[in-house]
């Protein structure tokens, strides 16, 4: 029996692969070959990406019953609050990554960012 080592890939890499396929830059087979992955794994990543990044934003809220304007406003306020929270987290992550790049550039004395032409 073979010893199979389970590899764990970062979510940013999985997103990149899925986006390349969904934007039709690569086929599933081409992506699998390019990144040395199995086609099954690539298909799993596409399903994961759609479930977590595409479909939640495209699926409209389906009221199970007739709701009042007041209830709808409450739902929309909650949705807005969640979206604002996600935006704050994304902005914080962006600031953190910028700081990490600044530190790396200073410590290693190598420009990491591209100079705008």
């Amino acid at each position: 029996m073979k010893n199979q080592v389970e590899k764990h890939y970062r979510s940013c890499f999985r997103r990149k692969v899925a986006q390349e396929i969904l934007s039709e830059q690569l086929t599933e087979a081409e992506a699998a070959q390019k990144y040395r992955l199995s086609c099954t794994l690539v298909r799993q990543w596409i399903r994961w990406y759609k479930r977590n990044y595409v479909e939640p934003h495209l699926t409209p809220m389906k009221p199970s019953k007739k709701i009042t304007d007041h209830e709808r406003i409450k739902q929309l306020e909650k949705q807005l609050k969640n979206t604002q929270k996600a935006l704050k987290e994304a902005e914080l992550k962006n600031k953190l990554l910028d700081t990490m790049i600044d530190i790396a550039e200073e410590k290693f004395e190598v420009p990491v960012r591209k100079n705008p032409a």
Side-chain angles (χ1 to χ4, degrees):
M1 188 169 166
K2 287 186 192 176
N3 273 344
Q4 292 184 347
V5 178
E6 185 175 325
K7 290 186 178 181
H8 294 279
Y9 295 92
R10 300 186 122 201
S11 60
C12 58
F13 177 67
R14 293 186 306 226
R15 278 194 313 267
K16 176 186 174 201
V17 174
Q19 287 170 342
E20 286 180 358
I21 295 166
L22 293 173
S23 66
E24 298 180 353
Q25 294 174 359
L26 296 173
T27 65
E28 288 179 10
E30 290 170 340
Q33 184 177 17
K34 178 180 178 180
Y35 296 110
R36 297 182 181 177
L37 303 166
S38 72
C39 288
T40 303
L41 184 60
V42 170
R43 281 192 287 280
Q44 288 174 355
W45 288 2
I46 293 169
R47 283 194 303 272
W48 166 82
Y49 180 82
K50 286 180 178 179
R51 189 172 49 248
N52 291 295
Y53 294 95
V54 178
E55 292 169 357
H57 305 295
L58 297 179
T59 307
M61 291 176 52
K62 297 179 184 174
S64 58
K65 59 178 181 170
K66 182 94 170 148
I67 59 171
T68 65
D69 288 342
H70 179 69
E71 291 170 332
R72 180 69 176 146
I73 290 170
K74 289 287 186 189
Q75 287 178 344
L76 291 172
E77 285 173 345
K78 183 177 179 181
Q79 186 179 4
L80 175 61
K81 185 178 177 182
N82 291 339
T83 303
Q84 288 172 333
K85 181 181 175 185
L87 176 62
K88 267 188 181 176
E89 289 175 3
E91 288 173 340
L92 185 60
K93 182 178 180 180
N94 191 23
K95 188 173 183 177
L96 173 70
L97 292 172
D98 278 341
T99 303
M100 289 173 58
I101 291 171
D102 291 341
I103 292 169
E105 286 180 332
E106 184 179 312
K107 182 175 181 176
F108 299 110
E109 298 178 0
V110 175
V112 176
R113 292 183 180 93
K114 291 184 178 180
N115 292 331

